[in-house]
Amino acid sequence: MEAKAPCASKCSCRVIEFLESSIGKKIMVAAAGFLLCGFLVAHLAGNLLMFVGGTAFDRYAEALEHSPLLPLAEGGLVALFLAHIFLSIRATLANRAARPEGYQVYTGKGARTPGSRTMAVTGTLILVFIIVHVGTLKYDIGGLKGQIEGQEESLFAHVLGWFANPFYSIFYVLAVGGVGLHLSHGVQSAVQTFGISHPRYTPLLKKAGLAFAFLIFIGFASLPVYFGFFHKPAMACCSAPEGGSK
């Protein structure tokens, strides 16, 4: 057993050395980014239930709220976000120290994209949005929850209350626009980090990444645009019908 110890130690050292290398740091950033993309898809799917109606959306929210896995999922998500931020900053600083001109992905003509030029800006915007989004909709900073009689426990009504505020809705659209712009570069960069880069296939992957980023933006932005500006329900989705039980 003792004879295997040096091998195990060498393997551990090699893993650590790889993770500390430039490509290792980029792979960790890319892996965290892909996992966050999975969260975005799942989160968007749940949010789009608002178009089905208040009852469907509130049932979905209630199922999540009563899930025993929710604390674990929330903790893991927070850890994933923080890891992605920390690793991104770390990789960027290391990359700038090694190559001051910066790292560029293949774009077909060698030019940088709006997404690549604004990664730090959109990343900061996303962080601010997450803080505001969680604070207002989860922890009720602003005190809108429970202001509508008969819908005190309705998350649907709570969300509509915030979307009724044009400043909040505009901020929401701008923030998810930042998400889309961030993804427009992040997805193709992550794909390349995993070694998928070829003059023939990279343009296709780039278009797929852009399509994904656009769909994520449109999906999330459609909610405040529709419910905040074009269709403002009377907030009666979940309240007892008139003349109902007392």
Side-chain angles (χ1 to χ4, degrees):
M1 297 297 292
E2 293 182 357
K4 295 182 180 181
C7 180
S9 178
K10 288 182 180 178
C11 289
S12 299
C13 289
R14 288 176 180 174
V15 171
I16 294 174
E17 289 176 359
F18 173 74
L19 294 179
E20 287 294 326
S21 67
S22 176
I23 187 61
K25 293 172 183 176
K26 291 174 184 176
I27 285 178
M28 287 190 289
V29 172
F34 276 133
L35 290 174
L36 289 174
C37 285
F39 162 74
L40 284 175
V41 172
H43 189 50
L44 176 59
N47 284 1
L48 290 178
L49 287 174
M50 289 187 68
F51 288 112
V52 178
T55 300
F57 183 74
D58 283 341
R59 285 177 178 173
Y60 160 74
E62 184 177 0
L64 286 181
E65 189 69 26
H66 290 85
S67 172
L69 298 178
L70 181 63
L72 181 62
E74 289 181 334
L77 190 58
V78 170
L80 192 59
F81 270 115
L82 294 178
H84 186 66
I85 294 170
F86 172 75
L87 293 171
S88 296
I89 294 175
R90 188 183 180 198
T92 299
L93 293 177
N95 185 67
R96 286 180 178 176
R99 293 198 295 177
E101 74 276 9
Y103 176 75
Q104 297 181 10
V105 301
Y106 177 83
T107 60
K109 294 183 179 180
R112 297 187 68 191
T113 65
S116 67
R117 289 194 298 266
T118 58
M119 289 297 280
V121 175
T122 55
T124 302
L125 176 61
I126 293 169
L127 178 60
V128 173
F129 173 64
I130 290 172
I131 294 172
V132 173
H133 185 63
V134 173
T136 53
L137 298 183
K138 181 174 177 62
Y139 295 105
D140 194 28
I141 296 176
L144 286 185
K145 191 172 184 179
Q147 297 297 312
I148 303 174
E149 185 178 357
Q151 302 183 58
E152 290 81 3
E153 300 301 322
S154 172
L155 180 61
F156 182 75
H158 184 47
V159 174
L160 291 185
W162 278 107
F163 284 164
N165 183 328
F167 295 104
Y168 186 87
S169 291
I170 291 173
F171 169 70
Y172 194 107
V173 172
L174 291 176
V176 295
V179 173
L181 190 58
H182 198 81
L183 290 174
S184 70
H185 171 73
V187 172
Q188 59 175 304
S189 178
V191 169
Q192 186 191 24
T193 296
F194 282 103
I196 306 175
S197 180
H198 189 277
R200 180 177 180 181
Y201 301 111
T202 296
L204 296 177
L205 293 172
K206 177 185 175 182
K207 291 178 181 179
L210 290 175
F212 175 76
F214 181 72
L215 290 175
I216 289 293
F217 164 64
I218 290 297
F220 280 108
S222 65
L223 298 169
V225 170
Y226 180 73
F227 291 107
F229 297 101
F230 293 101
H231 181 72
K232 298 184 178 181
M235 300 293 200
C237 65
C238 310
S239 61
E242 185 177 352
S245 60
K246 298 180 179 180

